[in-house]
Amino acid sequence: MAHQPTRTINKLHFTDLDPLRFEDLCLNLVARLYEWKKLNHFGRKGADGGVDIHAVQQVGQESRVWFIQCKRYTAIIKTDITHIIDEVSKNEVLPYKLLIIIACDLTRANYEYCQTYAKSKGIQETEVWAAGPLEARLYKDHQDLLFVYFGVKLGQSVRDNATKIKAGLSMEKKFHKDIINHVRVKDRNQWERLMYEPYHRFISTKVFIHSVDDTTYPEWKETLSAWFPTFFYNTYHNGVEFWLSAGIGVDILMNADGQWEALTDRNDARRNDSKFKVVRGMRIGRVPYYNIVGYKVDGDEYYSEPHLFCKFTFDRRPYEEIYYRSMGIASDRRTSIEFNKSKEVKYPDKLK
């Protein structure tokens, strides 16, 4: 008998999924709603008239057309809703039903606005699946998709959850004993430096992460990502933080309202636009202690840095969360600050 999810299960981070991966999840959920007469996915080839998924439901003698939009927004406002509906209403034939699936939460005011505005554009029915209801659907009816997209397995007993907690606490204790540089941490002359640059707390800045399922090491196969080098950053309440792509770094574009975007194009023209500022940032990945199975403190004959062996249970990655923060610099007494996730603008949007 399957058990209800307990408090030990973290909230699902839909926004951490790759945009196309999020569309695939939406397609899987829509496909299971009915025995569709037709079901077409246009999103991977570019949305056609504001339609990512086109479906036809046969009800008696009537064929009802559905348009489905999949938006991996971190937050949604009225202008976003207006844009979605305006794009759909440009189609020569309007749908019987518009379904909007979003990766964030939706306020009641915005839900009511969505319904009213869609009707004003001639769309008979509109439904929105926001993050909360979307998560509820997965837990209640689609537990296989929970595992495929998030690595979450239900049907576990309380004893299984207790075992995971116990394993996490045990690993935390061992990790702090072996991987933290205690001489440096106890040195009063280092305290200020560690406050601004916490990665100096570790015995090594560089670390290698391996999937417990990896069989390729030491051969490098970048596309598999089954093992890779990265850098320690800090610890947090549930595990260890890693500074991803530290050698490359990341620039954060921010507007006057505090909305921001992680830049992927070094030649982005908005870098020179006076209405934006560019902040040097860090991309941080969080690995929970319970997903660290073991480690080698002194590395091996190939790489002498520490090696961590982890379960890749979060969409085939070890990170339960990836977030961004500004660069901390001890010499300038510049504090590292986490960027507000609710103000992040992600693909396919662009900060304006």
Side-chain angles (χ1 to χ4, degrees), residues 191-217:
W191 286 0
E192 184 171 321
R193 183 190 190 194
L194 296 179
M195 180 176 66
Y196 294 106
E197 301 171 352
Y199 44 87
H200 293 297
R201 299 173 62 229
F202 298 90
I203 60 173
S204 168
T205 53
K206 193 174 184 179
V207 58
F208 287 82
I209 294 181
H210 302 252
S211 166
V212 293
D213 298 315
D214 175 47
T215 58
T216 65
Y217 183 81

Side-chain angles (χ1 to χ4, degrees), residues 247-252 266 278-282 325-327 339:
I248 301 173
V250 62
D251 286 336
I252 305 296
R266 293 189 177 276
V278 178
V279 180
R280 194 63 174 161
M282 299 181 289
R325 58 188 314 127
S326 63
M327 185 85 71
F339 290 102

Side-chain angles (χ1 to χ4, degrees), residues 2-4 6 9 153-161 164:
H3 292 264
Q4 292 298 317
T6 72
I9 296 176
K153 285 185 178 180
L154 297 185
Q156 297 178 341
S157 65
V158 173
R159 184 173 60 185
D160 293 329
N161 290 321
K164 186 169 73 171

Side-chain angles (χ1 to χ4, degrees), residues 1 47 85 108 112 140 151 153 170 175 222 239 246 254 272 309:
M1 176 177 161
I85 294 171
R108 180 177 178 179
E112 291 175 350
K140 181 177 181 294
K153 285 185 178 180
S170 175
F175 184 91
E222 187 173 1
M254 184 175 290
N272 301 315
F309 299 87

Side-chain angles (χ1 to χ4, degrees), residues 62-345:
E62 181 185 3
S63 294
R64 295 179 177 176
V65 176
W66 290 46
F67 287 176
I68 297 100
Q69 267 282 39
C70 312
K71 295 294 185 183
R72 199 201 60 166
Y73 292 150
T74 56
I76 191 168
I77 57 178
K78 282 187 177 180
T79 53
D80 297 320
I81 296 170
T82 302
H83 176 73
I84 292 170
I85 294 171
D86 284 347
E87 286 298 304
V88 170
S89 64
K90 291 177 183 178
N91 285 273
E92 188 174 337
V93 179
L94 295 180
Y96 166 81
K97 188 163 189 172
L98 171 63
L99 172 60
I100 304 170
I101 307 176
I102 56 176
C104 58
D105 294 321
L106 182 71
T107 65
R108 180 177 178 179
N110 282 341
Y111 175 79
E112 291 175 350
Y113 172 76
C114 181
Q115 298 286 323
T116 303
Y117 189 69
K119 284 185 179 179
S120 74
K121 290 290 185 175
I123 300 172
Q124 297 181 51
E125 292 189 18
T126 304
E127 188 174 345
V128 181
W129 294 354
L134 192 58
E135 181 172 317
R137 285 176 180 272
L138 288 169
Y139 276 120
K140 181 177 181 294
D141 299 318
H142 309 289
Q143 295 175 12
D144 59 324
L145 297 182
L146 266 179
F147 178 69
V148 170
Y149 289 91
F150 299 97
V152 175
K153 285 185 178 180
L154 297 185
Q156 297 178 341
S157 65
V158 173
R159 184 173 60 185
D160 293 329
N161 290 321
T163 299
K164 186 169 73 171
I165 293 171
K166 186 176 179 180
L169 292 173
S170 175
M171 178 53 65
E172 179 180 14
K173 184 177 180 180
K174 291 190 294 183
F175 184 91
H176 279 252
K177 176 178 179 293
D178 295 332
I179 310 295
I180 298 297
N181 187 326
H182 295 280
V183 173
R184 191 175 295 154
V185 169
K186 292 177 182 178
D187 186 348
R188 291 177 179 269
N189 295 322
Q190 295 288 329
W191 286 0
E192 184 171 321
R193 183 190 190 194
L194 296 179
M195 180 176 66
Y196 294 106
E197 301 171 352
Y199 44 87
H200 293 297
R201 299 173 62 229
F202 298 90
I203 60 173
S204 168
T205 53
K206 193 174 184 179
V207 58
F208 287 82
I209 294 181
H210 302 252
S211 166
V212 293
D213 298 315
D214 175 47
T215 58
T216 65
Y217 183 81
E219 183 181 354
W220 176 246
K221 294 184 178 181
E222 187 173 1
T223 54
L224 295 178
S225 298
W227 70 271
F228 53 86
T230 187
F231 296 84
F232 285 119
Y233 177 70
N234 206 349
T235 56
Y236 68 109
H237 71 281
N238 203 38
V240 186
E241 294 186 325
F242 299 88
W243 185 356
L244 310 181
S245 304
I248 301 173
V250 62
D251 286 336
I252 305 296
L253 191 73
M254 184 175 290
N255 66 16
D257 296 325
Q259 291 182 309
W260 59 275
E261 177 187 342
L263 291 176
T264 56
D265 182 0
R266 293 189 177 276
N267 298 315
D268 195 308
R270 294 172 298 167
R271 290 175 178 271
N272 301 315
D273 191 325
S274 60
K275 69 181 179 183
F276 299 113
K277 68 176 179 178
V278 178
V279 180
R280 194 63 174 161
M282 299 181 289
R283 186 168 175 258
I284 306 295
R286 286 179 159 177
V287 176
Y289 288 117
Y290 60 76
N291 263 12
I292 302 174
V293 174
Y295 52 79
K296 293 180 180 179
V297 175
D298 299 319
D300 56 25
E301 69 270 31
Y302 298 103
Y303 302 101
S304 60
E305 295 86 356
H307 290 238
L308 268 59
F309 299 87
C310 306
K311 299 176 184 177
F312 282 33
T313 55
F314 302 99
D315 194 27
R316 292 178 292 180
R317 298 184 303 177
Y319 311 115
E320 68 171 342
E321 180 184 8
I322 293 177
Y323 73 100
Y324 293 84
R325 58 188 314 127
S326 63
M327 185 85 71
I329 301 177
S331 60
D332 296 340
R333 292 191 173 182
R334 185 188 302 170
T335 303
S336 174
I337 300 173
E338 182 176 345
F339 290 102
N340 187 340
K341 260 199 166 187
S342 68
K343 293 191 174 184
E344 181 181 9
V345 177

